[in-house]
Amino acid sequence: MSSPNRDKDGNPLIQRYTPNERSNHWITAICFILLAVSGLAMFHPAMAWMAVFLGGGQWTRILHPFIGLVMFVSFAVLVLRFWHHNRMDAADKQWLNQIGDVLNNREDKLPKIGMYNAGQKILFFVLIASMCGLLLSGIVIWRAYFAFYFPIEIVRLAALLHAFSAFVLICSIIVHIYAAFWVKGSIGAMVRGTVTYGWARKHHPRWFEEVVRKSRD
């Protein structure tokens, strides 16, 4: 897993994400952006101008659900790729108990973290729940193909669930982006696929030790 590449200062780099994992992530991210702007355009007249990003109101209504299916499938692949890294363990519970140290960047006092910390794992499962809510409700309110199979009461409830799930998803992604900027080097990991040894040792020491150990076997 270790990479022979070095950064601009000559420090060795370690691979955090493969090209396939990064492509999978960015396909999901691009779909999310398109869905967010088109969904908001259809949600309230004040945001109807956002429909321009998908070619106007008619195309927005047509493309929105299809892009949603692409995002769900892409996200499902991400879940399969990273599920085993997101199982909660004793270190995660301790990490949550020391949330004060987390917020004050006292990482030296925290338990050794694997590939993801407890906050990232909780976000992972919130994203899964909101994505499933969007898929199920989206199918029910998809007028062109499915809505006529359901009673109007169910369609209305599905519309509410869709809006709520979208709100949770958008808020979660905002947290995700903020955290990526907060921990310097995180964005570079998803763009280039690599992080420095120092970054890995500081932010995810248990994962760093596992990768180094595997590279020596």
Side-chain angles (χ1 to χ4, degrees):
M1 288 291 292
S2 58
S3 169
N5 297 329
R6 293 177 179 272
D7 65 12
K8 59 183 177 61
D9 297 318
N11 300 312
L13 298 172
I14 189 169
Q15 187 177 64
R16 185 160 173 82
Y17 297 110
T18 66
N20 285 340
E21 290 168 346
R22 300 200 306 277
S23 297
N24 194 174
H25 170 274
W26 289 115
I27 288 171
T28 306
I30 291 169
C31 287
F32 167 77
I33 294 170
L34 294 175
L35 289 166
V37 297
S38 59
L40 289 171
M42 292 185 287
F43 182 74
H44 195 277
M47 293 177 280
W49 62 271
M50 291 185 178
V52 69
F53 292 107
L54 287 184
Q58 186 75 4
W59 278 110
T60 294
R61 288 188 292 274
I62 293 171
L63 294 175
H64 182 85
F66 287 104
I67 297 173
L69 290 177
V70 174
M71 181 177 73
F72 185 86
V73 171
S74 180
F75 180 75
V77 175
L78 276 178
V79 170
L80 293 175
R81 289 181 187 276
F82 299 114
W83 179 269
H84 63 291
H85 289 300
N86 283 279
R87 290 180 295 212
M88 299 291 283
D89 55 33
D92 295 315
K93 294 177 183 178
Q94 184 60 37
W95 187 92
L96 290 171
N97 289 333
Q98 295 180 236
I99 194 66
D101 290 326
V102 174
L103 296 176
N104 287 286
N105 288 323
R106 294 192 289 262
E107 294 187 76
D108 55 305
K109 296 183 178 181
L110 296 172
K112 287 188 175 182
I113 298 301
M115 187 163 187
Y116 298 112
N117 60 46
Q120 292 170 307
K121 292 177 180 180
I122 290 173
L123 181 64
F124 177 79
F125 288 106
V126 170
L127 291 176
I128 291 176
S130 58
M131 287 282 192
C132 288
L134 285 168
L135 176 69
L136 295 175
S137 60
I139 289 174
V140 174
I141 63 176
W142 196 347
R143 292 182 179 275
Y145 298 102
F146 303 107
F148 52 82
Y149 288 115
F150 301 93
I152 188 62
E153 293 80 7
I154 298 299
V155 174
R156 288 170 178 168
L157 286 173
L160 287 174
L161 175 60
H162 202 72
F164 175 75
S165 298
F167 174 76
V168 172
L169 180 63
I170 290 171
C171 290
S172 299
I173 295 301
I174 290 173
V175 171
H176 177 59
I177 294 172
Y178 176 79
F181 280 101
W182 185 24
V183 180
K184 186 179 179 181
S186 298
I187 295 177
M190 191 52 76
V191 173
R192 298 184 299 272
T194 56
V195 294
T196 64
Y197 273 46
W199 186 96
R201 190 184 296 112
K202 178 181 179 182
H203 299 297
H204 300 273
R206 196 172 76 213
W207 170 74
F208 170 74
E209 292 169 2
E210 291 170 357
V211 173
V212 171
R213 186 168 58 251
K214 288 179 181 178
S215 68
R216 291 173 178 172
D217 292 340

